[in-house]
PDB file of all heavy atoms in Angstrom:
ATOM      1  N   ASP A  45      12.383  45.840  -7.336  1.00 73.00           N
ATOM      2  CA  ASP A  45      13.193  46.343  -6.240  1.00 73.00           C
ATOM      3  C   ASP A  45      14.242  47.297  -6.805  1.00 73.00           C
ATOM      4  O   ASP A  45      15.347  46.901  -7.164  1.00 73.00           O
ATOM      5  CB  ASP A  45      13.858  45.192  -5.483  1.00 73.00           C
ATOM      6  CG  ASP A  45      14.614  45.676  -4.260  1.00 73.00           C
ATOM      7  OD1 ASP A  45      14.488  46.864  -3.906  1.00 73.00           O
ATOM      8  OD2 ASP A  45      15.333  44.859  -3.673  1.00 73.00           O
ATOM      9  N   PHE A  46      13.863  48.575  -6.890  1.00 78.00           N
ATOM     10  CA  PHE A  46      14.762  49.572  -7.463  1.00 78.00           C
ATOM     11  C   PHE A  46      16.047  49.709  -6.656  1.00 78.00           C
ATOM     12  O   PHE A  46      17.082  50.070  -7.203  1.00 78.00           O
ATOM     13  CB  PHE A  46      14.059  50.922  -7.558  1.00 78.00           C
ATOM     14  CG  PHE A  46      13.686  51.516  -6.223  1.00 78.00           C
ATOM     15  CD1 PHE A  46      14.571  52.327  -5.541  1.00 78.00           C
ATOM     16  CD2 PHE A  46      12.451  51.251  -5.645  1.00 78.00           C
ATOM     17  CE1 PHE A  46      14.241  52.864  -4.316  1.00 78.00           C
ATOM     18  CE2 PHE A  46      12.116  51.796  -4.429  1.00 78.00           C
ATOM     19  CZ  PHE A  46      13.015  52.604  -3.755  1.00 78.00           C
ATOM     20  N   ALA A  47      15.992  49.421  -5.356  1.00 75.00           N
ATOM     21  CA  ALA A  47      17.166  49.566  -4.505  1.00 75.00           C
ATOM     22  C   ALA A  47      18.269  48.593  -4.910  1.00 75.00           C
ATOM     23  O   ALA A  47      19.441  48.835  -4.647  1.00 75.00           O
ATOM     24  CB  ALA A  47      16.790  49.355  -3.047  1.00 75.00           C
ATOM     25  N   GLN A  48      17.894  47.526  -5.575  1.00 79.00           N
ATOM     26  CA  GLN A  48      18.863  46.529  -6.012  1.00 79.00           C
ATOM     27  C   GLN A  48      19.683  47.030  -7.197  1.00 79.00           C
ATOM     28  O   GLN A  48      20.842  46.678  -7.350  1.00 79.00           O
ATOM     29  CB  GLN A  48      18.111  45.261  -6.430  1.00 79.00           C
ATOM     30  CG  GLN A  48      18.656  44.010  -5.931  1.00 79.00           C
ATOM     31  CD  GLN A  48      17.763  42.850  -6.322  1.00 79.00           C
ATOM     32  OE1 GLN A  48      16.949  42.934  -7.239  1.00 79.00           O
ATOM     33  NE2 GLN A  48      17.908  41.751  -5.618  1.00 79.00           N
ATOM     34  N   PHE A  49      19.057  47.858  -8.041  1.00 80.00           N
ATOM     35  CA  PHE A  49      19.694  48.255  -9.285  1.00 80.00           C
ATOM     36  C   PHE A  49      20.269  49.665  -9.270  1.00 80.00           C
ATOM     37  O   PHE A  49      21.165  49.967 -10.020  1.00 80.00           O
ATOM     38  CB  PHE A  49      18.685  48.129 -10.441  1.00 80.00           C
ATOM     39  CG  PHE A  49      18.164  46.739 -10.580  1.00 80.00           C
ATOM     40  CD1 PHE A  49      16.886  46.416 -10.168  1.00 80.00           C
ATOM     41  CD2 PHE A  49      18.960  45.731 -11.090  1.00 80.00           C
ATOM     42  CE1 PHE A  49      16.404  45.127 -10.287  1.00 80.00           C
ATOM     43  CE2 PHE A  49      18.492  44.445 -11.211  1.00 80.00           C
ATOM     44  CZ  PHE A  49      17.216  44.139 -10.806  1.00 80.00           C
ATOM     45  N   LEU A  50      19.747  50.529  -8.400  1.00 83.00           N
ATOM     46  CA  LEU A  50      20.232  51.906  -8.339  1.00 83.00           C
ATOM     47  C   LEU A  50      21.407  52.020  -7.379  1.00 83.00           C
ATOM     48  O   LEU A  50      21.520  51.251  -6.426  1.00 83.00           O
ATOM     49  CB  LEU A  50      19.113  52.830  -7.849  1.00 83.00           C
ATOM     50  CG  LEU A  50      17.925  53.023  -8.771  1.00 83.00           C
ATOM     51  CD1 LEU A  50      16.872  53.887  -8.091  1.00 83.00           C
ATOM     52  CD2 LEU A  50      18.341  53.637 -10.087  1.00 83.00           C
ATOM     53  N   PRO A  51      22.252  53.012  -7.594  1.00 87.00           N
ATOM     54  CA  PRO A  51      23.301  53.263  -6.604  1.00 87.00           C
ATOM     55  C   PRO A  51      22.672  53.657  -5.270  1.00 87.00           C
ATOM     56  O   PRO A  51      21.573  54.202  -5.229  1.00 87.00           O
ATOM     57  CB  PRO A  51      24.083  54.445  -7.205  1.00 87.00           C
ATOM     58  CG  PRO A  51      23.700  54.490  -8.643  1.00 87.00           C
ATOM     59  CD  PRO A  51      22.357  53.872  -8.751  1.00 87.00           C
ATOM     60  N   GLN A  52      23.362  53.399  -4.197  1.00 86.00           N
ATOM     61  CA  GLN A  52      22.821  53.636  -2.861  1.00 86.00           C
ATOM     62  C   GLN A  52      22.443  55.106  -2.666  1.00 86.00           C
ATOM     63  O   GLN A  52      21.448  55.410  -2.020  1.00 86.00           O
ATOM     64  CB  GLN A  52      23.824  53.200  -1.796  1.00 86.00           C
ATOM     65  CG  GLN A  52      23.267  53.292  -0.406  1.00 86.00           C
ATOM     66  CD  GLN A  52      24.203  52.698   0.630  1.00 86.00           C
ATOM     67  OE1 GLN A  52      25.208  52.085   0.298  1.00 86.00           O
ATOM     68  NE2 GLN A  52      23.876  52.880   1.886  1.00 86.00           N
ATOM     69  N   GLU A  53      23.209  56.028  -3.233  1.00 88.00           N
ATOM     70  CA  GLU A  53      22.915  57.458  -3.079  1.00 88.00           C
ATOM     71  C   GLU A  53      21.546  57.800  -3.664  1.00 88.00           C
ATOM     72  O   GLU A  53      20.787  58.582  -3.084  1.00 88.00           O
ATOM     73  CB  GLU A  53      23.993  58.323  -3.752  1.00 88.00           C
ATOM     74  CG  GLU A  53      25.364  58.201  -3.136  1.00 88.00           C
ATOM     75  CD  GLU A  53      26.119  56.959  -3.610  1.00 88.00           C
ATOM     76  OE1 GLU A  53      25.847  56.442  -4.723  1.00 88.00           O
ATOM     77  OE2 GLU A  53      26.992  56.490  -2.861  1.00 88.00           O
ATOM     78  N   LEU A  54      21.220  57.225  -4.834  1.00 89.00           N
ATOM     79  CA  LEU A  54      19.917  57.487  -5.456  1.00 89.00           C
ATOM     80  C   LEU A  54      18.783  56.840  -4.665  1.00 89.00           C
ATOM     81  O   LEU A  54      17.710  57.425  -4.517  1.00 89.00           O
ATOM     82  CB  LEU A  54      19.897  56.981  -6.901  1.00 89.00           C
ATOM     83  CG  LEU A  54      20.674  57.818  -7.905  1.00 89.00           C
ATOM     84  CD1 LEU A  54      20.661  57.151  -9.268  1.00 89.00           C
ATOM     85  CD2 LEU A  54      20.100  59.204  -7.993  1.00 89.00           C
ATOM     86  N   THR A  55      19.026  55.663  -4.171  1.00 88.00           N
ATOM     87  CA  THR A  55      18.016  54.988  -3.358  1.00 88.00           C
ATOM     88  C   THR A  55      17.715  55.797  -2.109  1.00 88.00           C
ATOM     89  O   THR A  55      16.555  56.002  -1.749  1.00 88.00           O
ATOM     90  CB  THR A  55      18.498  53.576  -2.974  1.00 88.00           C
ATOM     91  OG1 THR A  55      18.784  52.840  -4.168  1.00 88.00           O
ATOM     92  CG2 THR A  55      17.441  52.842  -2.178  1.00 88.00           C
ATOM     93  N   LEU A  56      18.755  56.302  -1.459  1.00 90.00           N
ATOM     94  CA  LEU A  56      18.554  57.126  -0.262  1.00 90.00           C
ATOM     95  C   LEU A  56      17.829  58.419  -0.604  1.00 90.00           C
ATOM     96  O   LEU A  56      17.002  58.903   0.169  1.00 90.00           O
ATOM     97  CB  LEU A  56      19.888  57.419   0.418  1.00 90.00           C
ATOM     98  CG  LEU A  56      20.557  56.231   1.089  1.00 90.00           C
ATOM     99  CD1 LEU A  56      21.946  56.600   1.595  1.00 90.00           C
ATOM    100  CD2 LEU A  56      19.698  55.703   2.225  1.00 90.00           C
ATOM    101  N   LYS A  57      18.115  58.969  -1.774  1.00 91.00           N
ATOM    102  CA  LYS A  57      17.425  60.198  -2.197  1.00 91.00           C
ATOM    103  C   LYS A  57      15.927  59.936  -2.368  1.00 91.00           C
ATOM    104  O   LYS A  57      15.094  60.765  -2.002  1.00 91.00           O
ATOM    105  CB  LYS A  57      18.034  60.717  -3.499  1.00 91.00           C
ATOM    106  CG  LYS A  57      17.583  62.087  -3.870  1.00 91.00           C
ATOM    107  CD  LYS A  57      18.392  62.641  -5.017  1.00 91.00           C
ATOM    108  CE  LYS A  57      17.938  64.071  -5.264  1.00 91.00           C
ATOM    109  NZ  LYS A  57      18.812  64.774  -6.160  1.00 91.00           N
ATOM    110  N   ILE A  58      15.584  58.796  -2.900  1.00 90.00           N
ATOM    111  CA  ILE A  58      14.169  58.418  -3.044  1.00 90.00           C
ATOM    112  C   ILE A  58      13.539  58.249  -1.666  1.00 90.00           C
ATOM    113  O   ILE A  58      12.451  58.755  -1.400  1.00 90.00           O
ATOM    114  CB  ILE A  58      14.027  57.123  -3.876  1.00 90.00           C
ATOM    115  CG1 ILE A  58      14.424  57.394  -5.327  1.00 90.00           C
ATOM    116  CG2 ILE A  58      12.603  56.570  -3.797  1.00 90.00           C
ATOM    117  CD1 ILE A  58      14.573  56.160  -6.174  1.00 90.00           C
ATOM    118  N   PHE A  59      14.220  57.554  -0.776  1.00 90.00           N
ATOM    119  CA  PHE A  59      13.687  57.346   0.573  1.00 90.00           C
ATOM    120  C   PHE A  59      13.546  58.659   1.342  1.00 90.00           C
ATOM    121  O   PHE A  59      12.667  58.795   2.177  1.00 90.00           O
ATOM    122  CB  PHE A  59      14.558  56.366   1.356  1.00 90.00           C
ATOM    123  CG  PHE A  59      14.391  54.929   0.957  1.00 90.00           C
ATOM    124  CD1 PHE A  59      15.482  54.066   0.958  1.00 90.00           C
ATOM    125  CD2 PHE A  59      13.162  54.417   0.591  1.00 90.00           C
ATOM    126  CE1 PHE A  59      15.332  52.734   0.605  1.00 90.00           C
ATOM    127  CE2 PHE A  59      13.003  53.086   0.232  1.00 90.00           C
ATOM    128  CZ  PHE A  59      14.094  52.250   0.243  1.00 90.00           C
ATOM    129  N   ARG A  60      14.405  59.647   1.064  1.00 91.00           N
ATOM    130  CA  ARG A  60      14.308  60.945   1.742  1.00 91.00           C
ATOM    131  C   ARG A  60      13.014  61.675   1.417  1.00 91.00           C
ATOM    132  O   ARG A  60      12.579  62.547   2.159  1.00 91.00           O
ATOM    133  CB  ARG A  60      15.499  61.834   1.364  1.00 91.00           C
ATOM    134  CG  ARG A  60      16.647  61.655   2.279  1.00 91.00           C
ATOM    135  CD  ARG A  60      17.734  62.699   2.050  1.00 91.00           C
ATOM    136  NE  ARG A  60      19.001  62.086   2.401  1.00 91.00           N
ATOM    137  CZ  ARG A  60      19.872  61.581   1.534  1.00 91.00           C
ATOM    138  NH1 ARG A  60      19.659  61.683   0.248  1.00 91.00           N
ATOM    139  NH2 ARG A  60      20.977  61.008   1.953  1.00 91.00           N
ATOM    140  N   GLU A  61      12.399  61.341   0.297  1.00 91.00           N
ATOM    141  CA  GLU A  61      11.159  62.000  -0.116  1.00 91.00           C
ATOM    142  C   GLU A  61       9.929  61.453   0.625  1.00 91.00           C
ATOM    143  O   GLU A  61       8.855  62.028   0.555  1.00 91.00           O
ATOM    144  CB  GLU A  61      10.938  61.838  -1.627  1.00 91.00           C
ATOM    145  CG  GLU A  61      12.029  62.475  -2.466  1.00 91.00           C
ATOM    146  CD  GLU A  61      12.128  63.982  -2.251  1.00 91.00           C
ATOM    147  OE1 GLU A  61      11.081  64.647  -2.163  1.00 91.00           O
ATOM    148  OE2 GLU A  61      13.269  64.484  -2.169  1.00 91.00           O
ATOM    149  N   LEU A  62      10.092  60.348   1.339  1.00 91.00           N
ATOM    150  CA  LEU A  62       8.968  59.730   2.039  1.00 91.00           C
ATOM    151  C   LEU A  62       8.688  60.435   3.362  1.00 91.00           C
ATOM    152  O   LEU A  62       9.601  60.939   4.006  1.00 91.00           O
ATOM    153  CB  LEU A  62       9.266  58.253   2.316  1.00 91.00           C
ATOM    154  CG  LEU A  62       9.484  57.362   1.101  1.00 91.00           C
ATOM    155  CD1 LEU A  62       9.856  55.955   1.556  1.00 91.00           C
ATOM    156  CD2 LEU A  62       8.260  57.336   0.207  1.00 91.00           C
ATOM    157  N   ASP A  63       7.415  60.441   3.755  1.00 88.00           N
ATOM    158  CA  ASP A  63       7.074  60.958   5.076  1.00 88.00           C
ATOM    159  C   ASP A  63       7.421  59.893   6.122  1.00 88.00           C
ATOM    160  O   ASP A  63       7.829  58.780   5.777  1.00 88.00           O
ATOM    161  CB  ASP A  63       5.607  61.378   5.151  1.00 88.00           C
ATOM    162  CG  ASP A  63       4.649  60.217   4.928  1.00 88.00           C
ATOM    163  OD1 ASP A  63       5.106  59.093   4.664  1.00 88.00           O
ATOM    164  OD2 ASP A  63       3.432  60.432   5.028  1.00 88.00           O
ATOM    165  N   ILE A  64       7.260  60.244   7.374  1.00 86.00           N
ATOM    166  CA  ILE A  64       7.685  59.352   8.456  1.00 86.00           C
ATOM    167  C   ILE A  64       6.935  58.020   8.405  1.00 86.00           C
ATOM    168  O   ILE A  64       7.540  56.953   8.537  1.00 86.00           O
ATOM    169  CB  ILE A  64       7.485  60.027   9.825  1.00 86.00           C
ATOM    170  CG1 ILE A  64       8.411  61.239   9.942  1.00 86.00           C
ATOM    171  CG2 ILE A  64       7.741  59.062  10.967  1.00 86.00           C
ATOM    172  CD1 ILE A  64       8.158  62.094  11.150  1.00 86.00           C
ATOM    173  N   GLN A  65       5.631  58.073   8.196  1.00 87.00           N
ATOM    174  CA  GLN A  65       4.828  56.836   8.159  1.00 87.00           C
ATOM    175  C   GLN A  65       5.265  55.942   7.000  1.00 87.00           C
ATOM    176  O   GLN A  65       5.449  54.734   7.168  1.00 87.00           O
ATOM    177  CB  GLN A  65       3.338  57.194   8.031  1.00 87.00           C
ATOM    178  CG  GLN A  65       2.423  55.987   8.059  1.00 87.00           C
ATOM    179  CD  GLN A  65       2.416  55.286   9.400  1.00 87.00           C
ATOM    180  OE1 GLN A  65       2.415  55.937  10.425  1.00 87.00           O
ATOM    181  NE2 GLN A  65       2.417  53.979   9.390  1.00 87.00           N
ATOM    182  N   SER A  66       5.458  56.530   5.829  1.00 91.00           N
ATOM    183  CA  SER A  66       5.868  55.741   4.661  1.00 91.00           C
ATOM    184  C   SER A  66       7.270  55.173   4.841  1.00 91.00           C
ATOM    185  O   SER A  66       7.545  54.045   4.439  1.00 91.00           O
ATOM    186  CB  SER A  66       5.818  56.605   3.401  1.00 91.00           C
ATOM    187  OG  SER A  66       4.518  57.098   3.196  1.00 91.00           O
TER     188      SER A  66
END
Side-chain angles (χ1 to χ4, degrees):
D45 185 9
F46 64 89
Q48 226 176 19
F49 301 105
L50 292 176
Q52 186 173 352
E53 296 81 25
L54 286 176
T55 303
L56 290 174
K57 191 170 184 169
I58 292 169
F59 285 144
R60 270 190 210 100
E61 298 298 319
L62 298 176
D63 62 357
I64 295 171
Q65 183 67 41
S66 301

